[in-house]
Amino acid sequence: MSEPTQVALELDDVQRGALSPRPTPYAATYLVFRVDDRADGRELMRRASAVVTSAVDPVSPLGDTWVSVAVTCYGLAALGVPRGSLDTFGWEFRQGMAARATALGDVGESSPANWEAPLGTPDVHVVLAAVAPDVPRLEEAVDRARPAYDRLAGVTAIWRQDCYALPTETEHFGYRDGVSHPAVEGSGIPGSNQLEVPLKAGEFVLGYRDEIGGIQTPQLSLPS
């Protein structure tokens, strides 16, 4: 029986926030944008690529401070990604969390009808997240990211959430958060439990094998 192939992630092409545990304590800011103009939306993504923190050097001075960007399926459509390309993404991504609320247990008081607007709506296109060990370093990270979205008339900031760790080191619902963080195969970033087998990279990064042996390889293309 042959030995399993060792996975080596292209860490310079993976966002730091996808693989690393949150610092303890931490401060964070989440900014949500709606793309009203395709050209400005693409310019936002071009600028954001220059400020997003990669996972290539987890021991760098910025190792515990990073900026990440996420794009929803609605966001990809607003950027001009053709329907044929969108259909190659996983169905969970295409449906979105609001449509999957029952399966996820978001019912009753936690149902999408009670979510703070605009969360769960088609207006959520791009999310920019900044995370740091404290507020001063968080503000520095946000200041570095501001040029990515500043002065783009076709991109509208529609929601902001500031987060922080309580002095008790519990999150705001009373739970002790961040006590366990899995290692991801090929990342070189250790997990919190040294006895735990690293999770397959495909659970977090497209193009790699996941825990059930599948590989998601969406075909992303933009019209000229």
Side-chain angles (χ1 to χ4, degrees):
M1 184 175 180
S2 60
E3 291 294 324
T5 302
Q6 293 296 314
V7 173
L9 297 182
E10 299 177 46
L11 296 180
D12 61 337
D13 202 32
V14 179
Q15 297 190 73
R16 172 77 180 170
L19 301 177
S20 298
R22 203 173 54 199
T24 302
Y26 79 95
T29 291
Y30 297 88
L31 297 168
V32 172
F33 299 92
R34 186 186 66 240
V35 175
D36 302 309
D37 178 82
R38 182 177 299 177
D40 279 351
R42 294 182 184 182
E43 176 62 16
L44 169 67
M45 301 310 296
R46 187 193 68 78
R47 294 182 187 181
S49 67
V51 298
V52 165
T53 312
S54 79
V56 70
D57 187 3
V59 295
S60 71
L62 294 177
D64 285 337
T65 300
W66 63 79
V67 174
S68 299
V69 173
V71 185
T72 67
C73 193
Y74 288 113
L76 290 179
L79 293 171
V81 176
R83 171 53 57 184
S85 291
L86 295 177
D87 287 343
T88 66
F89 282 82
W91 61 269
E92 302 95 335
F93 174 72
R94 286 182 278 123
Q95 282 191 332
M97 293 182 68
R100 300 183 62 235
T102 300
L104 296 172
D106 289 328
V107 297
E109 292 183 351
S110 298
S111 68
N114 296 318
W115 292 359
E116 182 178 339
L119 303 182
T121 74
D123 284 342
V124 176
H125 292 165
V126 178
V127 180
L128 187 150
V131 180
D134 50 49
V135 172
R137 277 179 281 188
L138 174 66
E139 291 302 322
E140 290 177 8
V142 172
D143 286 343
R144 286 196 302 273
R146 187 167 286 111
Y149 58 86
D150 198 21
R151 296 187 178 88
L152 287 174
V155 175
T156 305
I158 59 175
W159 190 78
R160 173 171 178 158
Q161 178 71 63
D162 296 319
C163 309
Y164 55 90
L166 296 172
T168 57
E169 296 188 8
T170 59
E171 49 90 74
H172 295 69
F173 295 99
Y175 299 101
R176 181 71 181 272
D177 198 12
V179 296
S180 178
H181 184 84
V184 178
E185 185 180 43
S187 71
I189 301 173
S192 56
N193 183 351
Q194 300 301 312
L195 300 178
E196 186 177 52
V197 176
L199 294 178
K200 296 296 182 183
E203 294 293 322
F204 302 91
V205 185
L206 295 174
Y208 295 88
R209 198 169 301 281
D210 61 24
E211 287 292 318
I212 60 175
I215 301 178
Q216 287 198 41
T217 54
Q219 305 303 307
L220 185 59
S221 62
L222 291 173
S224 58

